[in-house]
Amino acid sequence: MANLVSELVSGVVESVLKEILKKAGGATATKRQKRQTRSATTGRFKKVPATKAKPAKKQVSRRRTAASRSKTS
């Protein structure tokens, strides 16, 4: 009797684990790709040169005056 109960419990545990593992794998988002442009003369894909990153602009705080707050848009 105890063997039958342990077999039943192990079967249920295995099936639950399989369900959990099956659902865990496919939830990643797809990677987006930019569309490649073709050369007008050869028809092959163009090699786009890497652009340099521009330095960040310094933030300038703008003081809100009483006059600008009272304006109605």
Side-chain angles (χ1 to χ4, degrees):
M1 186 71 185
N3 188 20
L4 183 66
V5 172
S6 67
E7 192 175 322
L8 183 70
V9 170
S10 65
V12 169
V13 169
E14 281 181 28
S15 64
V16 168
L17 280 173
K18 279 183 186 176
E19 281 290 319
I20 292 170
L21 292 173
K22 195 186 336 179
K23 291 178 184 175
T28 56
T30 56
K31 302 258 188 221
R32 292 186 177 203
Q33 287 185 333
K34 286 188 177 179
R35 185 173 285 180
Q36 291 181 321
T37 55
R38 290 186 180 266
S39 170
T41 53
T42 60
R44 295 188 175 183
F45 290 120
K46 285 184 177 179
K47 288 189 176 124
V48 180
T51 55
K52 278 191 172 178
K54 292 181 181 175
K57 288 186 177 178
K58 194 173 183 181
Q59 266 190 325
V60 181
S61 64
R62 294 187 183 93
R63 176 179 244 166
R64 292 186 71 194
T65 60
S68 68
R69 280 195 299 271
S70 66
K71 284 182 187 174
T72 56
S73 55

